[in-house]
Amino acid sequence: MNFPKPLKKEDNVFLLCPSSPVIAEEDIKKCSEIIENMGYNAVIGKSLYENYGGYMAGSAKIRVDDLHEAFSREDIKGIFCVKGGYSASQLLDKLDYNLIANNPKVFAGYSDITNLHIVFNQKCNLGTYHGPMVKSNMFNDFNEYTEKSFFEAIECSEWKYKEPENKSLSLLNAKNINDSVSHIKGILTGGNLAIIMASLGTPYEIDTKDKILFLEDVDEKIGSLDRMLTHLKYSGKLDDCNGIILGNFADCKNTYETINNQIYELDELLKDFFGNYDKPVIYGMESGHAKPYMATLPLGAECKINIKTKEITFTK
């Protein structure tokens, strides 16, 4: 996998909205100021000024043109997505994948940006970063942990995932894992569960063969999560991968009435679903939509998991 060189101070960083719009014009100026305060030069894409239908940052052509400009310009070294939302999938059949593969840049974002991570990894051999976005995370939530993880992921060739204080990883299906299995490894892939589900059966379907699959989501009912995980199982994606890492499932609650005040929330669903799965399932990684912590993950890097200690190492 081709991971671009780390960013340097005074590098040009292109800001764009591949999905939903910024809305407030004053936020565009704030995006630029944040990037300048990091020591980079902000280049603002046309998509930041566009709003089409309320949920699209302009037409698909405008957003594709932004991506093509960012990847084709030699003076652009990084591409930061400003926010997620909806509609990045509209771009997939319009992108020049040869252009992107031949002009690798640091590319960061998450949520609906999962659409682009999958195709950049698989069609362009480009390593990308599942990490904070400018408006979504850097306005008010770019705390020390999130910032350090972001730059560590971009700058280091090998490093270990570090948990925030008072947070810990767990192995959901420990009773089902052979004691002789001490490590698993594979190329890291994945992102938002709903977006991954939408990729199935298309030319842009995620490939999990011999990989470590990372999953996260936001604002989904328990029943919807159950349905999506079951579909992922039936599609063979869970059988194909070497193991699973579960990140945040922010605001994913059970809104259904239960009998005798029975507790059946996210933890119970995940334990039921993965309890008999015969490959390691690590739960509790601080990456996804939950605030304030967000670890940046290098999609396309080798991920090695120590099953006994739950230590996770990434190597580009």
Side-chain angles (χ1 to χ4, degrees):
M1 194 70 66
N2 187 5
F3 277 92
K5 293 180 180 178
L7 296 173
K8 305 188 302 295
K9 295 299 182 184
E10 299 188 0
D11 275 349
N12 291 333
V13 173
F14 195 99
L15 305 185
L16 80 160
C17 292
S19 303
S20 294
V22 170
I23 306 295
E25 191 168 339
E26 59 267 26
D27 285 347
I28 301 173
K29 181 180 179 182
K30 190 170 181 179
C31 286
S32 180
E33 290 173 349
I34 286 171
I35 298 304
E36 301 284 344
N37 289 337
M38 290 181 185
Y40 307 129
N41 300 315
V43 179
I44 306 299
K46 292 182 178 65
S47 56
L48 269 70
Y49 298 97
E50 298 290 332
N51 185 336
Y52 183 60
Y55 68 95
M56 295 171 281
S59 66
K61 182 180 186 306
I62 286 172
R63 290 173 280 146
V64 166
D65 286 349
D66 265 2
L67 276 167
H68 286 168
E69 178 184 351
F71 277 104
S72 63
R73 284 176 52 172
E74 290 187 8
D75 64 316
I76 301 295
K77 304 302 179 184
I79 304 169
F80 291 178
C81 297
V82 171
K83 61 178 293 187
Y86 300 91
S87 74
S89 58
Q90 296 174 352
L91 315 184
L92 303 185
D93 65 344
K94 302 170 181 65
L95 291 170
D96 184 339
Y97 292 109
N98 287 328
L99 169 70
I100 295 166
N102 292 326
N103 296 277
K105 318 277 184 180
V106 171
F107 180 84
Y110 69 104
S111 193
D112 197 51
I113 313 304
T114 298
N115 284 291
L116 298 175
H117 286 309
I118 292 172
V119 294
F120 289 171
N121 288 175
Q122 295 179 187
K123 291 182 176 292
C124 306
N125 198 39
L126 174 65
T128 59
Y129 298 96
H130 178 276
M133 296 183 287
V134 184
K135 186 178 188 301
S136 302
N137 304 90
M138 297 179 183
F139 273 25
N140 303 308
D141 298 292
F142 208 39
N143 55 61
E144 182 180 358
Y145 175 87
T146 302
E147 183 176 5
K148 183 178 180 181
S149 177
F150 182 60
F151 289 108
E152 189 173 65
I154 290 173
E155 294 169 1
C156 298
S157 59
E158 180 175 302
W159 75 103
K160 292 180 174 61
Y161 168 73
K162 299 178 182 65
E163 299 162 310
E165 189 176 356
N166 300 323
K167 301 286 184 176
S168 61
L169 298 172
S170 62
L171 183 62
L172 275 185
N173 55 339
K175 63 180 177 60
N176 235 36
I177 303 302
N178 192 313
D179 287 340
S180 65
V181 178
S182 59
H183 293 82
I184 58 167
K185 65 180 180 179
I187 297 299
L188 185 66
T189 191
N192 183 266
L193 173 60
I195 303 302
I196 290 170
M197 290 304 309
S199 79
L200 301 182
T202 75
Y204 314 104
E205 179 172 303
I206 191 170
D207 176 13
T208 65
K209 185 67 175 176
D210 299 327
K211 296 180 180 179
I212 303 297
L213 177 61
F214 168 76
L215 299 173
E216 64 87 30
D217 218 316
V218 61
D219 201 25
E220 295 282 356
K221 293 181 180 180
I222 290 292
S224 296
L225 286 179
D226 191 328
R227 181 177 61 223
M228 288 191 287
L229 288 170
T230 302
H231 190 171
L232 201 60
K233 172 185 173 182
Y234 291 159
S235 72
K237 300 302 178 182
L238 301 185
D239 288 335
D240 283 349
C241 70
N242 290 346
I244 298 168
I245 298 174
L246 300 174
N248 302 138
F249 287 82
D251 298 319
C252 292
K253 302 182 183 301
N254 189 350
T255 59
Y256 302 99
E257 184 178 351
T258 57
I259 299 174
N260 299 324
N261 295 318
Q262 174 193 13
I263 296 174
Y264 197 81
E265 297 293 345
L266 176 66
D267 287 1
E268 285 71 33
L269 167 66
L270 296 177
K271 288 173 185 175
D272 278 354
F273 189 86
F274 290 109
N276 293 318
Y277 187 61
D278 59 1
K279 299 173 184 178
V281 181
I282 300 293
Y283 176 46
M285 176 170 275
E286 286 297 320
S287 190
H289 287 76
K291 304 291 179 69
Y293 304 116
M294 183 175 189
T296 297
L297 306 180
L299 299 171
E302 182 179 82
C303 176
K304 185 175 182 180
I305 302 174
N306 184 314
I307 304 304
K308 299 188 186 311
T309 65
K310 272 105 46 204
E311 184 177 82
I312 301 175
T313 304
F314 303 107
T315 306
K316 295 179 187 175

